Every structure is written in structure tokens, then in C-alpha cells.
Amino acid sequence: MPKERLAIIKTTKGREEVVVSERSLEGNSLKARLITEESTSCLIELPRETSSGAWRVWVPKEEVLA
């Protein structure tokens, strides 16, 4: 049975919390889908809804790993 972890994501507007399966993590990084990017930030889609109800969040570009 997969275990769940609380992931804290640094967004352009503060922080978001999302509970995810351990399978969604690689070390200290959360697997997410890149939707689009701008000059300083990227829109990502998370594997689950955050505590505020968001599925997509803008994060600073330096927080995104290739």
C-alpha cells in the first residue's frame, strides 16, 4: 500500500500544500507536468489538488527541474 506525504510547493504567490503518494516524489522533488512557461515562472499541473483547491500553480522558474 503506497504511503502519502505532504509536499510544500513554493509558488509565485506563497506556498501551497498537497498530499501526494510517495510514488509522486523523487527525492525532495515532486513530479508535476509543465503546462507553459514565461520569463520568470512556470505553470505546472500537480498530481493532486492542493489544500486551497488548486490543480495548477505558477512557480518560480528556478524551482523547476528538467
Side-chain angles (χ1 to χ4, degrees):
M1 175 170 246
K3 294 181 182 178
E4 294 185 326
R5 299 282 184 228
L6 176 66
I8 298 172
I9 302 159
K10 180 181 176 184
T11 74
T12 57
K13 295 186 178 186
R15 67 181 228 173
E16 288 280 355
E17 296 178 350
V18 61
V19 177
V20 296
S21 165
E22 279 187 339
R23 290 180 278 182
S24 296
L25 301 172
E26 287 183 1
N28 287 330
S29 298
L30 174 64
K31 296 178 196 174
R33 189 172 81 124
L34 177 65
I35 303 300
T36 191
E37 58 185 283
E38 293 182 348
S39 60
T40 61
S41 58
C42 296
L43 180 64
I44 60 167
E45 185 171 271
L46 301 168
R48 286 199 186 158
E49 185 177 21
T50 67
S51 57
S52 70
W55 282 88
R56 292 181 176 184
V57 292
W58 286 97
V59 297
K61 242 183 188 174
E62 64 268 10
E63 295 294 318
V64 178
L65 303 175

